[in-house]
Amino acid sequence: MFAESNLGVLGGNSRSPTTVGSSSSGGALRRPLGTLGSSIGSSLLYGTAAEEKIVLDIGAHTLRVGYSGDARPLYKTNLYGIFSHSDNNAGRLVGKSSGLFEEGHLNNEELLEALLVEQLRNIYRSHLLLDSKSRKVVVAEGALLPVQVKRALARVLFYNLRVPMVSFYPGSVTSLMTCGKMVGLVVDCGHRSTVVMPVYDCRPLVSCMVSTPMGGNALLRNLKQLILRFGKFVPFGGSQTKKDGDLEECAVDEQALSDDTVRFLMTKLIYASPIAIPKSFGRPPSDLSIGIAEGDLVEWFESSITASNGVTKLTVDCPKNGRGSLMFPMWIRERAAEILFSGDMSEDHQGIVQSIVQSIAKSPVDTRRELVKNILVVGGVADMLNFKVRLLHDLISTLRDDKRWSALAGEAALANEDPVVGLSANGEAFLASDRCWTGASLAVAARIGGMDVKAEEFDDVSIIDWTNQ
């Protein structure tokens, strides 16, 4: 019933669904041997192999790829590293370029195609281990994925890799499928931005969507600026010593704090504090923006840390001062993520909590209660320790303080699947960063259609945009 009633929701396609199987060369590494053998046996018995599709989840920072029917992506690769870009005259990959969504890249579709070709060819050759012409492709996309990237991706898949068909699925809807729900408020905390998308009856309410630049990139910049301002660098075995024999501390140099180092700190050490900023500092705090924390607010950060040790130490290499210890206050680990909840006042960017409230206000009145009951937080930033619990706590507090939404404060809850013991540290079956991909994999396995584009129908320019449907 579920699959049949929603065939038109994701794809608007009424043709009969294809049979989806579970055999693949790459996915076989994860499957029980008995399952693989029964699949091969059925193929030999009936003469036809069950069809599988390749599922792609392309984000601003990470590209996830795998086989339909699997519970998690087979391979993840970074789209924010150093790439080679094409020389139009030579027709080959030369030079270097940083990031797929960097400023200036979106206006150069030839460059986008060159970057995607390099990534996808390597994925098919080294990880999927199959001929690209033998499998259809499913793309799980966010609402703010640029049309230029979609067009470049379609050209690469059809003209370079020769795939027979590409299907597009809304990432907000596929994310909800991992919870078995058709209604919910999907908060996608990505690298470039955070998008709040209401979904009702498996239909994304695009007109009620709200976005804010407070995402992984804002957290990265805030963490780097705070360490540069409040951190210290102590070189090992240096000649500079104090009178008491201790090594001389110096200011943190930007060369010692590369983007890779900051990204390591962000993924391994940063967590959201369970204690919200008091209302006495304002809503949102006026002394808080990217790289800025002033006066009494810093003193309160220092007095409210939950960790036992007050200083974090990390060994790094600095071209100027050599190898040494990077030290910064422990409160930075807890409070660097405050910028995501409160927003950046210097740039007039609202936080995630205010974006959720604004999306609720824009949603139809009769859907608000059901949406608030099922808030699903996904994206790479959502994997941060204690992030989702803190976000829900701040949202309930904000709703309770506003008379318009006080009745909804008691209804707010996270939309996760039932806790499963032993699958992950927090009892969830799927990582928040993988839910979009996993939902698309489930949709294909459940024969739920997407918005399909065949190779012979692609005209090199026009591409399906479900946000305009």
Side-chain angles (χ1 to χ4, degrees):
M1 177 67 71
F2 178 82
E4 183 178 354
S5 63
N6 288 281
L7 278 171
V9 174
L10 298 182
N13 196 333
S14 60
R15 57 175 173 270
S16 59
T18 57
T19 304
V20 179
S22 60
S23 64
S24 70
S25 57
L29 298 177
R30 276 198 220 104
R31 299 183 181 118
L33 187 59
T35 305
L36 179 62
S38 62
S39 178
I40 295 176
S42 63
S43 300
L44 294 175
L45 178 63
Y46 297 104
T48 57
E51 181 185 16
E52 268 188 332
K53 296 182 181 181
I54 303 300
V55 181
L56 297 177
D57 175 15
I58 181 169
H61 183 271
T62 307
L63 173 64
R64 297 170 177 83
V65 63
Y67 293 96
S68 60
D70 285 355
R72 60 184 61 86
L74 178 66
Y75 177 69
K76 304 176 187 179
T77 183
N78 190 356
L79 287 176
Y80 207 76
I82 303 299
F83 295 88
S84 299
H85 63 79
S86 63
D87 183 1
N88 295 333
N89 297 327
R92 57 188 178 87
L93 298 179
V94 297
K96 289 185 176 180
S97 179
S98 177
L100 182 65
F101 292 84
E102 289 296 294
E103 185 177 358
H105 289 191
L106 296 179
N107 296 326
N108 188 347
E109 295 193 15
E110 293 182 357
L111 173 59
L112 290 176
E113 291 181 32
L115 301 180
L116 291 171
V117 164
E118 187 72 11
Q119 290 290 315
L120 293 177
R121 279 182 177 174
N122 178 66
I123 289 173
Y124 272 96
R125 180 174 58 249
S126 303
H127 302 281
L128 295 177
L129 304 177
L130 53 76
D131 184 4
S132 58
K133 294 182 287 186
S134 63
R135 295 289 192 277
K136 299 175 182 178
V137 174
V138 169
V139 179
E141 55 164 332
L144 297 184
L145 181 67
V147 177
Q148 298 93 322
V149 176
K150 289 180 61 176
R151 190 183 297 116
L153 179 62
R155 288 174 179 169
V156 169
L157 292 174
F158 286 133
Y159 299 151
N160 295 87
L161 301 177
R162 302 294 180 182
V163 300
M165 188 175 74
V166 178
S167 302
F168 293 92
Y169 286 70
S172 55
V173 179
T174 60
S175 298
L176 271 180
M177 288 182 180
T178 61
C179 299
K181 299 182 183 296
M182 302 172 63
V183 179
L185 194 64
V186 181
V187 184
D188 188 356
C189 304
H191 181 74
R192 299 174 67 235
S193 62
T194 294
V195 180
V196 183
M197 175 72 77
V199 176
Y200 195 84
D201 194 23
C202 282
R203 290 173 171 83
L205 306 181
V206 182
S207 60
C208 306
M209 177 185 66
V210 177
S211 65
T212 175
M214 296 295 101
N217 188 42
L219 176 60
L220 185 89
R221 292 187 291 120
N222 186 47
L223 177 61
K224 184 174 183 178
Q225 293 300 323
L226 289 177
I227 294 177
L228 288 174
R229 181 177 179 184
F230 296 99
K232 298 293 183 182
F233 181 80
V234 179
F236 292 154
S239 58
Q240 298 178 347
T241 58
K242 297 180 181 179
K243 294 181 179 180
D244 55 3
D246 295 335
L247 294 176
E248 185 72 29
E249 296 179 353
C250 57
V252 179
D253 188 79
E254 289 200 18
Q255 295 179 348
L257 203 61
S258 62
D259 288 344
D260 291 336
T261 301
V262 179
R263 191 167 289 113
F264 171 82
L265 295 173
M266 186 177 70
T267 55
K268 300 297 184 181
L269 300 180
I270 298 302
Y271 61 96
S273 175
I275 305 174
I277 300 177
K279 299 178 183 179
S280 58
F281 290 100
R283 285 281 193 247
S286 57
D287 293 334
L288 184 65
S289 59
I290 292 181
I292 299 176
E294 300 290 351
D296 296 338
L297 188 59
V298 174
E299 295 180 1
W300 184 83
F301 285 163
E302 293 175 345
S303 63
S304 64
I305 60 173
T306 58
S308 58
N309 191 0
V311 178
T312 300
K313 294 183 180 180
L314 181 71
T315 301
V316 297
D317 292 321
C318 178
K320 181 179 179 180
N321 299 313
R323 193 176 182 85
S325 290
L326 174 65
M327 301 187 301
F328 56 90
M330 181 64 73
W331 65 263
I332 294 181
R333 289 181 58 184
E334 290 192 14
R335 297 298 175 176
E338 294 295 331
I339 197 72
L340 302 178
F341 304 115
S342 301
D344 185 1
M345 292 300 97
S346 63
E347 298 292 338
D348 198 22
H349 293 156
Q350 66 182 5
I352 299 177
V353 176
Q354 290 297 327
S355 298
I356 295 176
V357 175
Q358 184 177 349
S359 179
I360 294 173
K362 296 173 66 176
S363 301
V365 177
D366 56 339
T367 66
R368 292 173 182 171
R369 190 173 298 274
E370 289 297 320
L371 292 175
V372 170
K373 288 181 179 179
N374 300 286
I375 301 175
L376 181 63
V377 186
V378 299
V381 178
D383 285 336
M384 183 193 307
L385 182 64
N386 203 52
F387 177 81
K388 289 181 281 189
V389 175
R390 170 65 190 281
L391 181 63
L392 179 63
H393 177 273
D394 285 10
L395 176 62
I396 293 175
S397 177
T398 302
L399 293 175
R400 187 179 291 116
D401 293 341
D402 194 330
K403 294 182 179 179
R404 297 175 300 172
W405 315 117
S406 58
L408 297 177
E411 303 285 346
L414 297 176
N416 292 324
E417 72 282 347
D418 294 334
V420 180
V421 178
L423 289 182
S424 64
N426 56 2
E428 296 180 1
F430 308 112
L431 289 175
S433 56
D434 292 342
R435 281 189 181 272
C436 182
W437 186 96
T438 303
S441 175
L442 292 173
V444 175
R447 304 178 185 178
I448 300 177
M451 305 184 72
D452 304 331
V453 180
K454 291 185 176 181
E456 59 270 17
E457 298 175 352
F458 183 59
D459 62 358
D460 197 47
V461 176
S462 301
I463 193 68
I464 291 176
D465 185 8
W466 56 266
T467 60
N468 292 329
Q469 300 300 316

